[in-house]
Amino acid sequence: MNIFEGSRSDFEICMQFEKDYDRFYGAVIPPTFGNTLFVFPDHEELGEAVADERYHYVYWRGTNPTVEIVENILAQLERGEQCKCFASGMAAISAAIFNSVSAGDHVLCVSHIYKSTLDLTTYMKKWGVEHSTVYSTITAEIEAAIKPNTKLIYIENPTDITYELVDIKAIARIAKSRGIRTILDNTWATPLFQKPLTHGIDIVVHSASKYLGGHNDLMGGALVTSKELMRTIFTKEYQLVGGCMGPREASLLLRGLRTLPFRMKAHQESTMKVAGFLTTHPAVARVHYPGLNQDNASRLSGYSGLLSFELKEATYAAVKKVINKVKIFKIGVSYGSFESMIFSLNVGTNEEKLKRDRINAGLIRIFVGMEPVEQLIADLRQALGEV
Ligand SMILES: *Cc1c(COP(=O)(O)O)cnc(C)c1O
């Protein structure tokens, strides 16, 4: 992990707003521009600005100075040309997908992806867009699942919930040779641990509600891509669908980004220890965490705080017992902030669906937050002792 090193390290990029001191009277953090619109001295100037809203402040649903500061930081962290921030991760994801496909096209989902993203691709049948999932992380099998009308390959690396790695460079190369667009959801790794655009991926999307915000008090999303692709994404999916980020969220996101390198370092260190502990526990059949197997030609440069594990007793009763027994881990869906979290997709009535989705009935997901790691391990030990 070299985020503090290099001539222009990611750490420096996270502090990038220091460049704006002169613009804003030396304000130590950039002001929150809460105005919905900007006024112009004459009719002609407004006309020029409206004709090119990507590069002019006209109306909040296009550009906002505070949001733009965050967008510039995220674009640089991802080594992309441009970024737009959205009202949520799902707003960024739908913008990326809507821009990439039309009626008659097929979306190929690589293994497990975020549930709402999968639900969205399913919903798009209504507009004549079909999808399928290839439950494999092997490049040749993914390639074999491409159809003549595949126009988009959608990836999470590591995959959602099972946290397995795919060869994104190879998939991007195959997609490019066939004129297929690639989108990668980089929420798990953050731009600090993986820069998919440098491997040939076309569009990177994020939920900023997780690590980027980092304090469980902000909902947001981001989309990073080339200037060329952003041209239509901005005028169509951003401005017309209207899922823009607000300046207050942008301000919270800026605060989160200042400490992102420190927080990710802490998550990595603690999660490695928790994963190591779980692999040795007799009640645990399997631990899914890419940090445990770093020699598998992984393209990640670091490992974050989400992992899952399978209980040997793969039943709803066993899952429930463990989750209800933990004291420090909080029971809930999200992650990326201070609090350690725990949850399972097994709700006792959906074993058939889990089987279809290739998810083990004894699977529990945890997010390792910032509580002392010895306490987190002790908490899991006492909870697992019951099964
Ligand atoms: C949370 C999440 C999303 C959705 O983001 P929202 O901000 O909740 O809309 C998408 N992908 C991944 C991997 C996530 O964890």
Side-chain angles (χ1 to χ4, degrees), residues 116-170:
S116 296
T117 308
L118 185 60
D119 289 348
L120 177 71
T121 58
T122 309
Y123 183 61
M124 287 175 71
K125 196 170 189 321
K126 166 175 167 166
W127 294 296
V129 175
E130 45 168 311
H131 81 284
S132 61
T133 298
V134 48
Y135 283 104
S136 171
T137 51
I138 298 165
T139 305
E141 291 178 8
I142 295 166
E143 184 172 18
I146 294 173
K147 298 184 179 189
N149 62 337
T150 302
K151 284 284 151 53
L152 170 63
I153 298 179
Y154 192 96
I155 309 163
E156 277 177 40
N157 192 45
T159 59
D160 204 71
I161 215 85
T162 50
Y163 309 117
E164 287 178 52
L165 294 172
V166 294
D167 186 345
I168 62 173
K169 209 174 199 164

Side-chain angles (χ1 to χ4, degrees), residues 88-90 93 114 156 160 185 187 207 209-210 219-220 335:
S88 68
M90 282 313 297
I93 289 166
Y114 186 69
E156 277 177 40
D160 204 71
D185 181 334
T187 305
S207 168
S209 324
K210 315 292 166 52
M219 176 128 315
Y335 59 92

